[in-house]
């Protein structure tokens, strides 16, 4: 591919979005909240000068943030360099015309959890504090605060909206 081909491919959704009807923000927010509350696994993308990482993780959607508990791993080396992350949550592929997904760009905030904070943790992730108190290593709470969300949902077409919608989130 040459430069023109890359530019043309990159502009595909931008051109398509220009001709698509936007969904009212309140309706889109409600759809996103329902979709993310109904799912529990995301792909978390992190990057640093040393490389990139995309990690599947369990999450909870709480107070308009992705809440993840992790024992550690390579993603933390990237998060040390940059708190900018991307996440994706999606339905298993069932064919064209049956797509549903949310992609979000955001900022990760990380807290090291200790015995005193496990009680608060159980409020965020619906786990009893006693589960974490028995561990012999610390756990970490990663909260991803979205700044932008892109939704792809084939069913929006039936409602008269474009299949791809965007939401700018407050910081």
């Amino acid at each position: 591919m040459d430069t023109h081909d890359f530019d043309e491919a990159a502009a595909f959704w931008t051109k398509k979005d220009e001709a698509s009807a936007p969904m009212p923000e309140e309706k889109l927010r409600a759809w996103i909240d329902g979709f993310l509350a109904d799912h529990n696994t995301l792909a978390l993308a992190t990057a640093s000068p040393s490389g990139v990482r995309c990690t599947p993780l369990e999450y909870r959607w709480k107070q308009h943030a992705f809440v993840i508990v992790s024992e550690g791993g390579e993603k933390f080396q990237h998060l040390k360099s940059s708190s900018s992350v991307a996440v994706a949550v999606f339905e298993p592929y069932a064919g064209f015309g049956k797509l549903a997904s949310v992609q979000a760009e955001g900022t990760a905030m990380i807290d090291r959890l200790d015995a005193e904070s496990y009680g608060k943790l159980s409020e965020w992730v619906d786990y009893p504090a006693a589960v974490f108190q028995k561990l012999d290593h610390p756990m970490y709470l990663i909260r991803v605060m979205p700044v932008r969300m892109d939704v792809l949902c084939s069913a929006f077409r039936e409602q008269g909206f474009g299949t791809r919608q965007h939401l700018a989130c407050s910081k």
Side-chain angles (χ1 to χ4, degrees):
M1 282 180 50
D2 63 19
T3 301
H4 173 75
D5 292 331
F6 278 103
D7 292 342
E8 184 179 7
F12 173 81
W13 280 107
T14 304
K15 291 177 183 177
K16 192 168 183 159
D17 288 347
E18 290 172 358
S20 297
M23 181 180 280
E25 185 175 320
E26 291 173 14
K27 187 171 185 159
L28 180 58
R29 281 185 186 277
W31 187 91
I32 290 170
D33 284 341
F35 183 83
L36 294 176
D38 287 345
H39 292 76
N40 66 1
T41 307
L42 57 73
L44 173 69
T46 58
S48 70
S50 66
V52 296
R53 186 85 178 155
C54 187
T55 308
L57 294 161
E58 181 182 3
Y59 78 93
R60 300 291 190 276
W61 180 242
K62 299 279 189 173
Q63 300 176 7
H64 304 287
F66 297 93
V67 180
I68 303 160
V69 176
S70 175
E71 67 282 351
E74 187 178 332
K75 62 191 158 293
F76 285 88
Q77 212 39 292
H78 300 295
L79 290 168
K80 181 171 75 172
S81 294
S82 174
S83 62
S84 295
V85 298
V87 302
V89 179
F90 45 90
E91 290 289 339
Y93 180 74
F96 285 116
K98 298 177 184 177
L99 303 174
S101 66
V102 173
Q103 294 181 67
E105 296 174 30
T107 304
M109 295 180 290
I110 303 160
D111 297 308
R112 180 181 170 146
L113 300 168
D114 55 29
E116 293 176 20
S117 58
Y118 284 138
K120 183 70 173 165
L121 172 66
S122 63
E123 294 173 24
W124 282 95
V125 294
D126 306 321
Y127 290 132
V131 170
F132 296 104
Q133 290 169 333
K134 292 178 185 175
L135 298 175
D136 61 355
H137 59 279
M139 296 293 286
Y140 301 90
L141 180 68
I142 304 169
R143 286 174 288 161
V144 176
M145 306 302 295
V147 295
R148 174 190 165 96
M149 301 179 99
D150 298 316
V151 176
L152 180 61
C153 181
S154 302
F156 290 168
R157 183 178 299 121
E158 298 163 9
Q159 301 171 38
F161 303 113
T163 56
R164 194 167 94 129
Q165 299 289 321
H166 311 281
L167 180 67
C169 307
S170 58
K171 291 185 178 182

